[in-house]
Amino acid sequence: MRLKTRFNAKAGFADLWDYVREPRPYRWPLLAVSFAIPATGLALLSQESHFRPPDAPEVTYISTFAEGRSEEEIRQSNIANQQRKDALEAERAELERRKIEAYKSLGRATGLDVDAMEREAAMEREREAAEAAAQRRELYQAGQAVDSAGD
């Protein structure tokens, strides 16, 4: 009961009304500004933005192959492409070999033990290859386990 008498809303509103009715300079402009600030904030925060999804891209297929190629023509073009690929790979390997030889000669000229460095690099490559093979084996076994569990 005590809370009810202690907080009397009727008396609080009466006090507010008496305060508002008192003649004060700039009373109405200040009241308008005090209402405008939260109203503006609420108006800005309550707006929704709807973005339309982007247009689907227009795909234009460009084919460099003649339509109606026979199986033999396809096979011959695949063989020619593989030969070009092998030639490029051989050229890259030759450039890599020449680069390694140039670095070895530079190392020998500066007094480095390039043979020991080459052995260390070979061991490192072997270790990396073994790790990659173990990881592939592990992934393969995990895939086999998932496949057998799904059956």
Side-chain angles (χ1 to χ4, degrees):
M1 277 292 207
R2 207 168 142 192
L3 264 175
K4 199 174 197 182
T5 59
R6 194 167 164 203
F7 297 108
N8 189 355
K10 185 177 179 184
F13 282 118
D15 286 345
L16 178 65
W17 184 249
D18 288 340
Y19 180 77
V20 169
R21 284 187 19 203
E22 288 179 13
R24 298 179 185 276
Y26 307 113
R27 169 176 59 177
W28 296 112
L30 285 175
L31 188 62
V33 168
S34 63
F35 274 105
I37 291 173
T40 304
L42 286 173
L44 289 175
L45 293 174
S46 65
Q47 292 178 358
E48 285 188 37
S49 296
H50 295 284
F51 297 106
R52 81 177 174 83
D55 295 334
E58 291 182 20
V59 179
T60 304
Y61 294 99
I62 300 173
S63 178
T64 56
F65 300 119
E67 285 197 37
R69 292 187 313 154
S70 68
E71 291 291 325
E72 183 60 27
E73 290 172 335
I74 293 172
R75 192 173 71 75
Q76 290 299 323
S77 70
N78 287 349
I79 290 171
N81 185 40
Q82 187 64 42
Q83 289 172 348
R84 279 194 307 274
K85 238 172 94 174
D86 291 342
L88 282 174
E89 188 63 34
E91 186 180 341
R92 279 193 204 111
E94 176 63 23
L95 287 174
E96 184 69 23
R97 187 192 61 75
R98 287 175 41 198
K99 184 171 77 169
I100 289 171
E101 288 301 320
Y103 278 121
K104 281 183 183 179
S105 63
L106 177 66
R108 284 189 184 98
T110 56
L112 295 176
D113 187 8
V114 294
D115 296 327
M117 293 169 69
E118 186 176 2
R119 283 191 300 273
E120 289 175 13
M123 289 185 342
E124 181 70 21
R125 281 192 299 270
E126 289 174 8
R127 185 185 61 77
E128 288 174 357
E131 286 177 1
Q135 186 177 13
R136 280 194 306 271
R137 198 175 319 109
E138 182 180 319
L139 289 173
Y140 178 74
Q141 289 171 352
Q144 290 292 328
V146 168
D147 287 345
S148 65
D151 290 338

